[in-house]
């Protein structure tokens, strides 16, 4: 699937018990309809409806939940849109390719819901490109009545120049879609749909209703116009439904709609239709169903409107069209305008998404360059070289510095792009280079996409030397620009502080909680689980830095681990665990808390004497400029053993345990250790992802939790925190799992009061809190992450007898998962 790597599991799992439909069947269906579903869903933030254990039966329905935000385990290459809501930003997946659709099926996301609008390459919400009416039968009405209303609505829509396409929803009713030209807002389209619904109700009061009150809908069809609101979503055509049988939201023809005995279609019927070439929704998905165009070709692509408005085709040799393309081309152009700069353009969604680089391409990972996103360009710009005449926008000489193809790893419109570019032989890049483009959020304004930075994510972690560009002669290549590149094109912008390393590649691979029963059928290697915090060690020839699991630079907290003489004198990236030994002589997470919060040199020096730390190495990601992550774990371990240099420094190799897992667990339990790590010897290292090729087997029940509230203490402790109310993220909710008040010292509770007061909010962040726990609770913004031990899970999903272990400063709230 376009070079994407995805592990499919439990293919024989029954998803629809009444028909025996398995996960393999679901995946086969989505593969068969991908070419017709994706155009209906692409570039739209998708909300998923997941049935983790299948849909169940009528007597025993399966558990279902909506999920908006991408989970921590989502592959980095998934297309996504960052949508800012009132109090937070949610990263939605976008179903732009078959690999993403397959991932949806793998995690049992059966239903896919999208809005009627798309996002552009700048991450901005566009006007809706389609209208939808949901014809929903009330009690006493059915599909026959929906058909009657559909034909009435069709006549009204055709009168205003719209040609709707019907979709039997796979549930109860019918959806009507009509393509739009994108010139009106969601509010305007919603108002029009509302008026249409009222007109149908006024003309046919015994058949149609526009009010959503259930008491008014008996025997009638609700014309639900509200799904045209920018905040609403509708199930995408060709999506499965989570009904008791695998029905589909199936596009139909009007001739079909007029036949007797019309029924909803199941996935087998839809696959046969698609295989036969039937796609009634193509007119809407391609934009050809809207009056006046919105055709997505190179000349009239709606995203090129700004480009066209800034140029006179009779006065400039620049191209104004361009179609086709494989979707993975790039060009870097050297632009001698009023000030020399470079233009980077990536083919994406039928246009060239463009950035101007005043200082050119960065030559090392330690220096980030300013990037300013400009208007999208037509595809023919991939080969454009020439002179833009004086007086025209961007006047000056333009030549191609390098061109080729790119492999996309991540694209969040308007926020972040990570791609590996492979240039032409003799081109300026000098081969293959990986870059991250990151929107810093600075410089935001009405007509601005904000300030971006381009960062070299060179996987060898050392400087490369491309063909030298004239921009390098102007001074330091990471400094601010000294003037506009082109008076109307690039205003002077000064880049703010930027990370010296790309956090995307520094996120460690994560394990999945499991038991010894999960280890059958593969070759596994065992190590002890060290009770500390994860550390990724990144070094060049001069210095060693340490990054936490969430990408924060924690080098200052552990200076004893960054002495350059402790390490081989070459660039490398290694993975390990930092821990401190407690009074019992074993790793103690509570003791380590005394080092985790410190950054000031004087504080670190004092704590270092009282709380020495050690680093246990267990993986090697890069050595001497060679990326090792695609090697199997067995070979990486061999390279790690050759890499490590025994010394007086507190850096050791995590021992490999040669015994049966049952015996290893028994020994670990006797020693009072946290547990055991099992790693498949053929496993590759997948940065930033959770995988079942690494299994953590804990001997003590522990769970990471997010703090969402607190209750005051009793008696003389009323001024301090008595207990914390904690939860686990579940989709877009925080599932309440109980309160914890033991495990803290009195001093910790008093200090904690200052922290929670600074995060106070008026409403509960939890989905549901028992009245007795909420009676005197104070709510906080759910940002703080901690870890507890507990006896077991109760039947209602709460922690029994939780005890506080300590804060997880190395983790963000959205990284917390249910480890049961």
């Amino acid at each position: 699937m376009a070079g994407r790597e995805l592990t499919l599991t439990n293919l024989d799992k029954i998803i629809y018990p009444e028909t025996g439909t398995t996960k393999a069947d679901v995946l086969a269906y989505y593969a068969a309809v991908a070419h017709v579903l994706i155009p209906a869903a692409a570039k739209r933030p998708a909300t998923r409806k997941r049935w983790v254990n299948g849909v169940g039966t009528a007597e025993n329905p399966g558990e279902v939940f909506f999920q908006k935000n991408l989970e921590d385990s989502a592959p980095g290459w998934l297309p996504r849109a960052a949508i800012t809501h009132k109090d937070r930003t949610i990263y939605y997946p976008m179903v732009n390719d078959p690999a993403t659709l397959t991932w949806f099926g793998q995690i049992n996301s059966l239903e896919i819901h999208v809005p009627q609008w798309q996002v552009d390459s700048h991450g901005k919400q566009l006007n809706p490109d389609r209208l939808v009416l949901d014809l929903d039968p009330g009690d006493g009405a059915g599909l026959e009545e929906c058909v009657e209303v559909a034909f009435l609505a069709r006549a009204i829509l055709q009168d205003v120049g719209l040609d709707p396409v019907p979709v039997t929803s796979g549930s109860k009713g019918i959806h009507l879609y009509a393509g739009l030209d994108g010139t009106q807002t969601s509010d305007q389209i919603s108002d029009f749909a509302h008026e249409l619904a009222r007109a149908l109700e006024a003309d046919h009061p015994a058949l149609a209703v526009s009010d959503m009150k259930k008491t008014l809908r008996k025997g009638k069809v609700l014309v639900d116009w509200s799904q045209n609101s920018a905040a609403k979503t509708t199930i995408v055509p060709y999506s499965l439904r989570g009904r008791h049988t695998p029905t589909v939201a199936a596009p139909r023809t009007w001739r079909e709609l007029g036949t007797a005995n019309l029924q909803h279609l199941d996935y087998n019927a839809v696959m046969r239709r698609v295989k036969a070439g039937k796609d009634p929704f193509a007119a809407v998905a391609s934009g050809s169903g809207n009056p006046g165009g919105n055709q997505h070709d190179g000349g009239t692509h709606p995203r090129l409107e700004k480009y066209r408005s800034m140029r006179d085709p009779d006065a400039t040799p620049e191209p104004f069209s361009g179609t086709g393309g494989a979707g993975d081309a790039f060009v870097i152009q050297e632009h001698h305008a009023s000030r020399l700069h470079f233009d980077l353009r990536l083919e994406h969604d039928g246009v060239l998404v463009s950035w101007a680089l005043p200082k050119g391409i960065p030559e090392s990972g330690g220096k980030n360059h300013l990037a300013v996103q400009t208007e999208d360009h037509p595809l023919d710009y991939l080969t454009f070289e020439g002179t833009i005449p004086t007086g025209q926008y961007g006047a000056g000489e333009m030549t191609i510095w390098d061109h080729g193809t790119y492999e996309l790893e991540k694209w969040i419109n308007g926020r972040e792009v990570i791609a590996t570019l492979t240039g032409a032989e003799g081109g300026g890049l000098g081969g293959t280079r990986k870059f991250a483009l990151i929107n810093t959020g600075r410089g935001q304004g009405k007509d601005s996409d904000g300030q971006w930075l381009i960062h070299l994510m060179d996987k060898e972690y050392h400087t490369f030397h491309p063909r030298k560009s004239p921009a390098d002669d102007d001074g330091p290549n990471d400094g601010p620009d000294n003037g506009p590149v082109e008076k109307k094109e690039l205003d002077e912008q000064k880049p703010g502080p930027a990370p010296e390393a790309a956090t995307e590649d520094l996120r460690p691979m994560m394990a999945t909680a499991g038991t010894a029963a999960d280890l059958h059928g593969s070759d596994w290697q065992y190590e002890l689980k060290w009770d500390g915090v994860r550390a990724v060690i990144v070094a060049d020839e001069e210095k060693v830095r340490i990054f936490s699991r969430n990408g924060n630079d924690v080098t200052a907290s552990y200076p004893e681990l960054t002495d350059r003489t402790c390490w081989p004198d070459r660039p490398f990236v290694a993975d390990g665990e930092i821990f401190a030994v407690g009074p019992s002589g074993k790793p103690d997470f509570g003791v380590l808390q005394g080092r985790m919060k410190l950054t000031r040199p004087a504080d670190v020096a004092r704590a270092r004497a009282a709380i020495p730390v050690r680093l246990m190495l267990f993986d090697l990601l890069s050595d001497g400029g060679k990326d090792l992550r695609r090697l199997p774990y067995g070979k990486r371990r061999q390279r790690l053993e050759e890499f490590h240099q025994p010394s007086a420094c507190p850096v050791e190799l995590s021992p490999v345990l040669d015994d049966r897992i049952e015996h290893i667990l028994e020994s670990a339990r006797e020693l009072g250790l946290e547990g055991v790590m099992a790693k498949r010897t053929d496993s590759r290292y997948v940065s930033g992802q959770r995988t079942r090729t690494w299994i953590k087997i804990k001997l003590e029940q522990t769970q990471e939790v997010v703090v969402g509230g607190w209750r005051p203490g009793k008696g003389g402790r009323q001024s301090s925190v008595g207990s914390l109310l904690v939860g686990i993220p579940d989709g877009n909710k925080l599932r309440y799992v109980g309160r914890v008040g033991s495990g803290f010292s009195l001093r910790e509770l008093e200090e904690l009061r200052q922290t929670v007061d600074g995060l106070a909010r008026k409403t509960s962040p939890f989905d549901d809190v028992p009245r007795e726990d909420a009676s005197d609770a104070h709510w906080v913004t759910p940002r703080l992450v901690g870890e507890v031990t507990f006896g077991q899970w109760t039947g209602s999903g709460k922690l029994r007898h939780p005890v506080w272990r300590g804060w997880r400063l190395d983790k963000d709230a959205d990284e917390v998962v249910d480890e049961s």
Side-chain angles (χ1 to χ4, degrees):
M1 292 179 294
R4 306 304 187 199
E5 187 171 307
L6 190 62
T7 301
L8 303 179
T9 60
N10 300 323
L11 296 180
D12 57 351
K13 184 176 184 177
I14 301 295
I15 304 301
Y16 293 88
E18 290 193 11
T19 56
T21 306
T22 65
K23 179 190 279 192
D25 295 325
V26 169
L27 290 166
Y29 168 74
Y30 275 133
V33 303
H35 65 287
V36 290
L37 185 153
I38 290 170
K43 294 173 280 186
R44 303 175 195 273
T47 298
R48 295 158 286 154
K49 207 171 179 183
R50 293 181 63 188
W51 282 263
V52 176
N53 297 309
V55 300
T57 63
E59 297 77 21
N60 186 24
E63 183 181 5
V64 58
F65 60 92
F66 274 96
Q67 191 163 1
K68 297 181 180 180
N69 214 2
L70 269 173
E71 50 266 62
D72 181 58
S73 59
W77 46 256
L78 247 72
R80 58 199 76 190
I83 307 297
T84 300
H85 299 276
K86 289 182 179 178
D87 57 349
R88 59 177 176 156
T89 296
I90 293 179
Y91 291 86
Y92 294 83
M94 293 191 293
V95 187
N96 291 357
D97 52 56
T100 300
L101 192 55
T102 301
W103 179 74
F104 273 42
Q106 163 62 20
I107 63 172
N108 293 339
S109 292
L110 301 180
E111 291 190 7
I112 306 167
H113 296 248
V114 297
Q116 311 318 316
W117 47 267
Q118 300 179 331
V119 294
D120 67 10
S121 61
H122 300 239
K124 294 179 180 177
Q125 176 182 324
L126 301 172
N127 282 339
D129 60 347
R130 62 196 190 201
L131 170 149
V132 65
L133 296 175
D134 180 4
L135 308 181
D136 186 10
D139 291 340
L143 206 53
E144 184 177 350
E145 288 76 14
C146 289
V147 168
E148 189 173 353
V149 175
F151 276 98
L152 295 170
R154 181 194 191 193
I156 297 175
L157 290 169
Q158 286 179 328
D159 284 344
V160 296
L162 299 176
D163 191 9
V165 173
V167 175
T168 47
S169 70
S171 178
K172 294 187 295 181
I174 293 174
H175 298 159
L176 290 185
Y177 286 91
L180 303 172
D181 62 10
T183 60
Q184 294 180 295
T185 66
S186 293
D187 287 343
Q188 290 172 318
I189 298 303
S190 188
D191 289 344
F192 167 75
H194 196 180
E195 288 303 316
L196 189 155
R198 286 173 175 164
L200 287 170
E201 180 180 34
D203 292 344
H204 308 278
L207 180 62
V209 61
S210 64
D211 195 306
M212 297 187 188
K213 294 187 181 70
K214 286 191 175 182
T215 55
L216 303 176
R217 294 165 55 183
K218 190 171 183 179
K220 300 179 183 180
V221 174
L222 169 66
V223 183
D224 185 356
W225 50 270
S226 68
Q227 294 185 41
N228 296 284
S229 165
K232 292 293 188 70
T233 61
T234 310
I235 191 163
V236 74
Y238 294 107
S239 172
L240 284 164
R241 298 303 300 245
R243 311 288 289 177
H244 299 138
T245 59
T247 54
V248 172
R252 313 295 286 269
T253 66
W254 285 102
R255 178 177 292 181
E256 286 181 279
L257 224 62
T259 58
N261 302 318
L262 178 72
Q263 296 181 342
H264 294 283
L265 300 180
D266 71 2
Y267 78 110
N268 283 312
V270 173
M271 279 198 293
R272 289 193 295 269
R273 290 163 61 88
V274 171
K275 186 177 181 180
K278 294 181 180 178
D279 181 18
F281 200 73
V284 177
S286 67
S288 60
N290 14 327
N294 196 28
Q295 297 89 0
H296 286 201
D297 62 76
T300 59
H301 196 302
R303 282 170 45 184
L304 295 178
E305 181 179 350
K306 184 175 181 181
Y307 174 91
R308 294 191 298 270
S309 70
M310 300 165 71
R311 292 165 175 83
D312 180 356
D314 296 326
T316 176
E318 295 170 278
F320 280 76
S321 64
T323 59
D328 62 353
F330 82 89
V331 66
I332 302 173
Q333 286 152 326
E334 190 173 310
H335 192 174
H336 291 262
S338 61
R339 180 178 175 84
L340 171 64
H341 66 279
F342 287 73
D343 294 306
L344 168 62
R345 312 191 198 283
L346 303 178
E347 182 182 356
H348 189 70
D349 291 342
V351 298
L352 295 178
V353 183
S354 301
W355 290 265
L357 312 177
K359 292 293 181 180
I361 296 290
E363 295 185 12
S364 74
K367 293 183 178 181
N368 302 304
H369 287 192
L370 173 65
V372 180
Q373 190 170 8
T374 60
E375 72 279 5
D376 295 331
H377 283 52
L379 292 179
D380 277 359
Y381 230 97
L382 283 167
T383 57
F384 175 67
E385 290 185 300
T387 301
I388 303 172
T390 302
Q392 296 301 307
Y393 179 78
E397 186 77 16
M398 183 175 286
T399 58
I400 293 178
W401 188 71
D402 205 344
H403 66 95
T405 60
Y406 72 92
E407 181 180 350
L408 180 64
E409 181 172 321
K410 189 175 186 180
W411 192 298
I412 306 178
N413 285 356
R415 297 295 183 100
E416 182 180 8
V417 176
I418 298 177
T420 300
L421 279 58
T422 299
E425 185 175 352
L429 284 178
T432 299
R433 303 296 166 194
K434 184 176 181 180
F435 295 98
L437 286 150
I438 303 166
N439 192 331
T440 66
R442 299 184 175 211
Q444 297 283 8
K446 181 179 178 182
D447 300 316
S448 171
D449 293 308
Q451 174 183 294
W452 292 65
L453 294 171
I454 181 170
H455 170 79
L456 172 65
M457 296 177 70
D458 190 25
K459 59 186 178 183
E460 286 85 10
Y461 295 94
H462 61 71
T463 300
F464 83 96
H465 301 284
R467 188 181 78 202
K468 190 172 178 63
S469 63
D472 297 327
D473 297 330
D474 287 340
N477 64 1
D478 61 339
D481 188 15
N482 296 319
V485 173
E486 208 284 336
K487 198 165 187 178
K488 293 175 289 184
E489 184 177 3
L490 290 178
D491 293 332
E492 180 178 5
Q493 298 189 54
K494 295 183 179 181
E500 291 187 336
T503 58
E504 182 69 21
D505 264 8
L506 300 183
R507 293 183 302 160
M509 177 171 165
M510 293 166 287
T512 300
T515 67
D518 296 316
L519 307 181
H520 298 299
S522 297
D523 187 14
W524 298 85
Q525 191 163 290
Y526 307 113
E527 304 170 39
L528 292 175
K529 190 176 188 307
W530 304 100
D531 194 9
V533 293
R534 202 69 176 273
V536 177
I537 303 90
V538 180
D540 55 23
E541 288 86 348
E542 298 178 358
K543 61 182 178 180
V544 176
R545 290 175 296 163
I546 303 175
F547 292 86
S548 69
R549 169 177 155 163
N550 53 4
N552 293 328
D553 191 330
V554 295
T555 306
S557 299
Y558 309 106
E560 61 264 58
L561 304 177
T562 59
D563 184 340
R564 196 64 186 84
T565 61
C566 294
W567 300 93
D569 57 355
R570 57 184 184 267
F572 67 85
V573 181
D575 188 2
E577 188 98 352
I578 297 172
F579 66 94
V581 175
S584 63
K586 63 183 181 182
D588 191 321
F589 184 70
V591 172
L592 184 63
Q593 298 275 303
R595 289 289 300 271
M596 289 171 60
K597 305 175 185 179
L598 306 180
T599 57
R600 293 173 54 189
D603 295 338
V604 172
R606 283 192 294 270
R608 182 174 172 179
I611 310 174
V613 297
R614 295 158 70 185
L615 171 64
M616 200 65 74
L617 291 176
F618 47 68
D619 216 320
L620 189 62
L621 284 61
S622 172
D623 185 20
K626 183 175 179 58
D627 192 340
L628 307 178
R629 287 175 295 177
R630 296 187 67 83
L631 293 178
Y633 172 69
K635 290 187 177 180
R636 295 200 312 276
R637 175 70 196 199
Q638 183 179 350
R639 290 290 297 267
L640 179 66
E641 291 174 356
E642 296 169 355
F643 164 88
H644 180 247
Q645 301 173 337
S647 67
C649 301
V651 179
E652 307 170 48
L653 280 183
S654 179
V656 173
L657 307 175
D658 187 16
D659 202 344
R660 293 179 55 187
I661 183 61
E662 293 80 5
H663 296 162
I664 295 172
L665 288 170
E666 183 178 351
S667 298
R669 186 176 289 107
E670 291 175 356
L671 294 171
L673 300 177
E674 187 185 7
V676 173
M677 290 293 302
K679 300 176 181 179
R680 257 175 45 180
T681 56
D682 63 349
S683 62
R684 295 178 177 179
Y685 194 100
V686 188
S687 295
Q689 294 188 30
R690 189 179 300 278
T691 171
R692 293 196 64 81
T693 60
W694 286 10
I695 301 290
K696 54 183 175 182
I697 306 174
K698 293 185 176 182
L699 297 174
E700 184 179 40
Q701 291 256 52
T702 65
Q703 173 65 54
E704 293 167 4
V705 291
V706 179
V707 178
W710 61 280
R711 299 178 67 188
K714 304 298 183 183
R717 293 176 54 193
Q718 288 183 346
S719 62
S720 69
V721 174
S723 61
L724 295 176
L725 278 62
V726 297
I728 299 173
D730 186 359
N732 61 346
K733 298 179 180 179
L734 186 63
R735 175 166 63 89
Y736 181 68
V737 296
R739 53 191 175 92
V740 54
S742 58
F744 299 97
S745 68
L746 182 59
R747 178 182 175 184
E748 284 177 315
L749 291 174
E750 291 173 347
E751 292 177 348
L752 182 57
R753 175 63 186 270
Q754 300 177 13
T755 302
V756 294
D757 282 348
L759 295 173
R761 57 182 273 175
K762 294 182 179 180
T763 58
S764 169
F766 296 107
D767 56 353
D768 185 27
V769 181
R771 183 178 302 174
E772 59 272 20
D773 287 355
S775 60
D776 59 349
H778 300 263
W779 309 117
V780 300
T781 301
R783 295 179 186 167
L784 302 175
V785 178
E787 190 170 15
V788 299
T789 61
F790 63 102
Q792 63 186 61
W793 290 100
T794 68
S796 61
K798 304 296 187 296
L799 299 166
R800 189 184 300 280
H801 308 310
V803 177
W804 190 256
R805 288 194 79 221
W807 295 104
R808 297 307 311 234
L809 303 179
D810 57 330
K811 296 188 179 180
D812 297 325
D814 57 5
E815 292 184 89
V816 174
V817 297
D818 187 338
E819 298 191 47
S820 62

